[in-house]
């Protein structure tokens, strides 16, 4: 059996190594048009910023090391230019020798990846405009950054994962950094309400954000560069384009293999194309989104590694299946951690899913143990079944492990009730006896059992201020003095029972505190007294973070001594 693999990195290199582990005698040829077959592409921004200092640290395997360990014929600077499906051959352009030759195959794996999008605007191909895909790109950007020196201006076009990582690293390298993003928030998998914390923190760290801004051109004149946008111009010494990627599927298309409208190669759950002898993996393929089962394109390293392994399994007769991608991802922004998995609210709404959502603001470990920090959590669940659909977490220590637990829960179709039963590791330096994941389950369970009704930050503006409903703030007077939502009256939770006669149990009452916990307790007190209550999910903190609103009160009801 002879298998030819087109492209290395995550999918191709994983497939090659798995093939060898399964079959010591098979003939394996790995063809890579670049110089590197397996490199840490997720680490490239950190080399650009100087966090990773050694070039060698980026290279996971060399052709020599790969051959020595796996006895695989690795050929770099070898670009496959065409596939002859009938003859089962590929034509290869040897870039070093500038010659072409053919190679036969029994099985072919396409791991051609995705290329950065370059928008069709003036100046996009200037010498001072870069994209980041591979090691040579990282070297070129790093050389430019070093040459510029401190205080020069960098503009990042696109606020996705790579754009945000590049922004952090260029700021750390001493540049003045502006991120221009066409959407109204950074990091597309986040919903806008969860991105608000990211925006505040990024600005505190010195990043400049131009949100809702479409880049229309990059103009160079008299040695100066200007990025023009729909909301204004910004000067730049270097520009990084990070506006997304598209699958590199030319080979597949020209060979007559079906692709979707975006160019994603169509494969079955064995990673096999229409041609039984050709497989495709990684960023170039269309996959099933795990939660909905719908078709999608999700260019992530983790799925690509798994797909490479699955293709190798099936070539060797093990019949492995790829069950879908849920988009689990984590991002470092200075000391902040941003993690997502599954559906966000925007997608759930667009697909017509009957869902609900909960917000929590929880400590990463026991509050009495030094060093505790808070994390914001948003969890989506299916209304009828309680099945977890997606999660977003923004915070500091402990964010990644909570999102990993929720990603696992989604993979096994767990419900909110299941989250309450999870027995997670606990000691004061690491967590709480009721972990934030458990707490998310408790909130979902309370909603399902009718113990609490919610309203959300986006409902606040529409609440009547004519006295037909009651608006109650149960924070402390000190908290209320720092800002209140217009129309709400402050009665601290611990004094609530003493003021019940001042409230009208014939009118609905909308309650909020800082995070939603004390207002839930208030709702239980009021419900027990015959009131119909609604609790503000995420509390004043989320409302103020998203809207920027909340004004100092004229007066706040004092606590009774």
């Amino acid at each position: 059996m002879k298998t030819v693999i087109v492209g290395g990195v995550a999918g191709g290199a994983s497939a090659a190594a798995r093939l060898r582990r399964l079959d010591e005698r098979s003939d394996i040829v790995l063809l890579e048009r670049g110089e590197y077959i397996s490199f840490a592409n997720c680490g490239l921004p950190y080399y650009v910023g100087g966090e990773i200092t050694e070039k060698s640290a980026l290279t996971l395997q060399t052709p020599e090391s790969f051959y020595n360990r796996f006895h695989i014929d690795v050929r770099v600077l070898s670009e496959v230019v065409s596939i002859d499906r009938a003859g089962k051959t590929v034509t290869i352009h040897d870039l070093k020798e500038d010659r072409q030759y053919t190679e036969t195959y029994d099985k072919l794996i396409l791991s051609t990846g995705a290329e950065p999008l370059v928008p069709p605007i003036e100046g996009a191909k200037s010498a001072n405009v870069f994209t980041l895909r591979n090691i040579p790109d990282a070297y070129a950007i790093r050389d430019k950054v070093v040459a510029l020196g401190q205080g020069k201006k960098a503009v990042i076009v696109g606020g996705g994962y790579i754009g945000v990582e590049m922004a952090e690293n260029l700021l750390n390298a001493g540049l003045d950094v502006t991120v221009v993003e066409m959407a109204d928030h950074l990091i597309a998998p986040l919903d806008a309400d969860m991105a608000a914390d990211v925006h505040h923190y990024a600005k505190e760290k010195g990043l400049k954000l131009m949100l809702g801004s479409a880049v229309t051109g990059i103009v160079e004149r008299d040695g100066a560069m200007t990025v023009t946008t729909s909301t204004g111009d910004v000067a730049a010494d270097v520009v990084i384009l990070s506006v997304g990627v598209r699958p590199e599927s030319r080979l597949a298309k020209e060979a007559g293999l079906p692709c979707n409208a975006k160019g994603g190669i169509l494969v079955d759950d064995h990673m096999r194309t229409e041609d039984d002898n050709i497989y495709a993996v990684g960023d170039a393929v269309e996959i099933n989104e795990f939660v909905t089962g719908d078709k999608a394109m999700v260019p992530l390293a983790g799925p690509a590694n798994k797909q490479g392994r699955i293709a190798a399994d099936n070539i060797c007769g093990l019949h492995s299946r790829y069950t879908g991608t849920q988009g689990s991802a984590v991002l470092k922004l200075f000391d902040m951690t941003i993690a997502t998995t599954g559906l966000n609210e925007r997608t759930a709404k667009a697909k017509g899913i009957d869902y609900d959502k909960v917000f929590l603001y929880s400590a990463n470990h026991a509050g009495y143990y030094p060093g505790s920090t808070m994390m914001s959590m948003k969890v989506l669940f299916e209304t009828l079944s309680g099945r977890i659909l997606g999660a977003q977490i923004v915070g500091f220590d402990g964010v990644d492990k909570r999102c990993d637990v929720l990603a696992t829960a989604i993979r096994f179709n767990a419900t909110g009730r299941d989250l309450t039963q999870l027995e997670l590791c606990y000691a004061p330096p690491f967590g709480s006896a009721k972990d934030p994941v458990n707490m998310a389950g408790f909130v979902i369970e309370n909603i399902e059992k009718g113990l609490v009704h919610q309203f959300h930050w986006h409902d606040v503006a529409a609440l009547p201020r004519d006295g037909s409903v009651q608006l109650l703030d149960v924070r402390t007077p000190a908290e209320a003095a720092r800002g209140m939502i217009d129309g709400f009256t402050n009665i601290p939770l611990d004094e609530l029972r003493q003021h019940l006669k001042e409230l009208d149990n014939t009118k609905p009452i909308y309650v909020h505190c800082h995070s939603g916990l004390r207002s839930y307790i208030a709702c239980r007190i009021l419900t027990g007294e015959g009131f119909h209550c609604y609790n503000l999910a995420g509390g004043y903190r989320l409302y103020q973070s998203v809207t920027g609103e909340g004004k100092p009160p004229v007066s706040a009801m004092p606590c009774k001594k």
Side-chain angles (χ1 to χ4, degrees):
M1 172 76 73
K2 179 179 180 181
T3 302
V4 172
I5 303 169
V6 182
V9 198
S14 294
R18 179 65 169 173
L19 281 168
R20 175 57 71 224
R21 291 194 298 269
L22 294 177
D23 187 345
E24 180 60 25
R25 296 183 178 181
S26 66
D27 188 1
I28 306 168
V29 179
L30 176 58
L31 302 167
E32 169 58 51
R33 72 181 175 192
E35 298 179 61
Y36 306 92
I37 58 159
S38 182
F39 60 89
N41 50 0
C42 294
L44 297 180
Y46 301 98
Y47 174 79
V48 170
E51 187 74 17
I52 296 173
T53 58
E54 297 296 329
K55 290 182 176 181
S56 59
L58 298 173
T59 306
L60 304 178
Q61 290 279 1
T62 65
E64 294 75 22
S65 67
F66 216 54
Y67 180 82
N68 291 337
R69 176 157 298 179
F70 296 109
H71 201 69
I72 290 170
D73 180 0
V74 178
R75 306 176 196 174
V76 296
L77 298 174
S78 297
E79 181 179 15
V80 176
V81 294
S82 65
I83 302 168
D84 178 358
R85 291 170 56 187
K88 297 177 68 174
T89 65
V90 293
T91 299
I92 303 159
H93 181 198
D94 182 333
L95 299 174
K96 187 175 181 179
E97 301 293 335
D98 193 22
R99 66 183 182 91
Q100 287 195 353
Y101 64 97
T102 60
E103 190 74 46
T104 62
Y105 66 82
D106 295 304
K107 301 293 183 182
L108 179 67
I109 300 176
L110 302 178
S111 179
T112 47
E115 61 182 344
L117 285 170
V118 177
I121 57 174
E122 177 186 0
K125 296 185 179 180
S126 162
N128 293 316
V129 177
F130 299 87
T131 59
L132 180 63
R133 181 188 183 184
N134 52 36
I135 288 180
D137 293 340
Y139 289 169
I141 300 171
R142 177 63 182 166
D143 289 345
K144 180 66 178 179
V145 169
V146 172
L148 284 174
Q150 302 283 309
K152 297 296 184 178
K153 298 181 183 298
V155 173
I156 313 293
V157 181
Y161 290 112
I162 298 298
V164 170
E165 289 175 342
M166 284 298 295
E168 172 194 348
N169 279 281
L170 291 180
L171 189 71
N172 286 341
L175 276 65
D176 181 309
V177 181
T178 301
V179 180
V180 182
E181 169 55 52
M182 187 164 60
D184 63 355
H185 68 279
L186 299 177
I187 310 168
L190 289 180
D191 290 315
D193 44 25
M194 291 300 289
D197 280 352
V198 179
H199 299 163
H200 296 312
Y201 181 74
K203 291 174 183 176
E204 287 175 6
K205 288 295 186 178
L207 290 179
K208 298 171 184 175
L209 305 181
M210 294 178 65
L211 304 175
S213 298
V215 172
T216 56
I218 302 169
V219 180
E220 287 193 80
R221 188 175 293 113
D222 300 327
M225 190 159 55
T226 301
V227 179
T228 62
T229 83
S230 58
T231 60
D233 297 345
V234 56
D237 297 295
V238 62
V239 175
I240 310 296
L241 297 179
S242 183
V243 296
V245 297
R246 62 185 170 200
E248 281 214 46
S249 52
R250 179 192 61 82
L251 275 175
K253 291 177 182 176
E254 291 180 357
L257 297 173
C259 298
N260 66 17
K262 294 183 178 180
I265 304 169
L266 303 188
V267 294
D268 62 16
D269 58 5
H270 299 301
M271 307 312 301
R272 188 170 45 220
T273 68
E274 178 186 69
D275 187 320
D276 287 346
N277 297 309
I278 302 178
Y279 294 74
V281 301
D283 296 352
V285 306
E286 177 187 81
I287 50 83
N288 291 330
E289 192 281 314
F290 177 77
V291 176
T292 64
D294 293 343
K295 301 298 183 182
M297 302 286 294
V298 183
L300 291 171
N305 273 282
K306 294 177 181 66
Q307 292 161 13
R309 177 186 176 94
I310 287 168
D313 281 356
N314 284 287
I315 287 172
C316 293
L318 294 186
H319 307 295
S320 296
R321 295 177 57 250
Y322 188 67
T323 57
T325 302
Q326 63 195 70
S328 300
V330 66
L331 171 69
K332 171 187 175 294
L333 177 61
F334 304 104
D335 294 325
M336 177 175 271
T337 305
I338 302 128
T340 66
T341 186
L343 301 185
N344 57 27
E345 186 173 1
R346 183 176 64 256
T347 303
K349 190 175 297 183
K351 291 182 178 295
I353 296 172
D354 186 7
Y355 74 94
D356 203 346
K357 58 190 175 184
V358 297
F359 295 91
L360 296 92
Y361 191 55
S362 301
N364 68 313
H365 63 239
Y368 59 82
Y369 186 85
S372 173
T373 59
M374 303 300 288
M375 65 181 74
S376 298
M377 296 177 62
K378 179 178 184 177
V379 181
L380 271 62
F381 63 99
E382 194 171 46
T383 304
L384 293 178
S385 68
R387 179 173 67 110
I388 306 302
L389 301 174
Q392 303 164 45
I393 312 179
V394 176
F396 299 91
D397 289 344
V399 165
D400 53 341
K401 73 174 183 177
R402 271 58 184 230
C403 200
D404 282 341
V405 172
L406 289 165
T408 305
I410 290 171
R411 181 60 60 165
F412 291 101
N413 295 309
T415 67
R417 294 181 297 279
D418 293 324
L419 299 186
T420 70
Q421 300 298 319
L422 293 179
E423 186 175 336
L424 303 174
C425 297
Y426 162 62
F430 302 103
S432 299
K434 290 188 287 189
D435 190 85
V437 173
N438 298 133
M439 293 301 298
F442 293 142
V443 177
I444 293 169
E445 185 179 52
N446 285 339
I447 292 169
E448 291 180 326
K449 291 181 176 179
L451 297 177
V452 66
H453 302 284
Q454 297 188 117
F455 69 110
H456 294 283
W457 63 267
H458 47 75
D459 301 319
V460 171
L463 291 175
R465 266 72 171 181
D466 59 2
S468 59
V469 301
Q470 300 167 100
L471 307 178
L472 179 61
D473 175 348
V474 297
R475 296 175 299 157
T476 66
E479 289 174 297
R482 291 193 289 270
M484 289 185 69
I485 303 175
D486 182 49
F488 279 72
T489 298
N490 178 232
I491 304 176
L493 172 63
D494 292 342
E495 305 298 328
L496 179 58
R497 290 182 178 88
Q498 300 174 33
H499 292 279
L500 289 176
K501 292 182 180 179
E502 300 164 27
L503 302 172
D504 185 347
N505 66 7
T506 67
K507 298 178 180 179
I509 186 164
Y510 292 81
V511 190
H512 85 79
C513 66
H514 180 67
S515 67
L517 176 57
R518 283 172 290 167
S519 50
Y520 163 67
I521 297 170
C523 283
R524 294 307 304 151
I525 293 171
L526 292 165
T527 299
E529 295 292 339
F531 290 83
H532 188 63
C533 297
Y534 297 88
N535 183 29
L536 178 58
Y540 177 84
R541 183 196 169 279
L542 178 64
Y543 172 82
Q544 205 280 330
S545 178
V546 177
T547 66
E549 298 176 7
K551 60 185 182 181
V554 176
S555 63
M557 187 171 292
C559 287
K560 290 187 177 181
K561 302 296 183 183

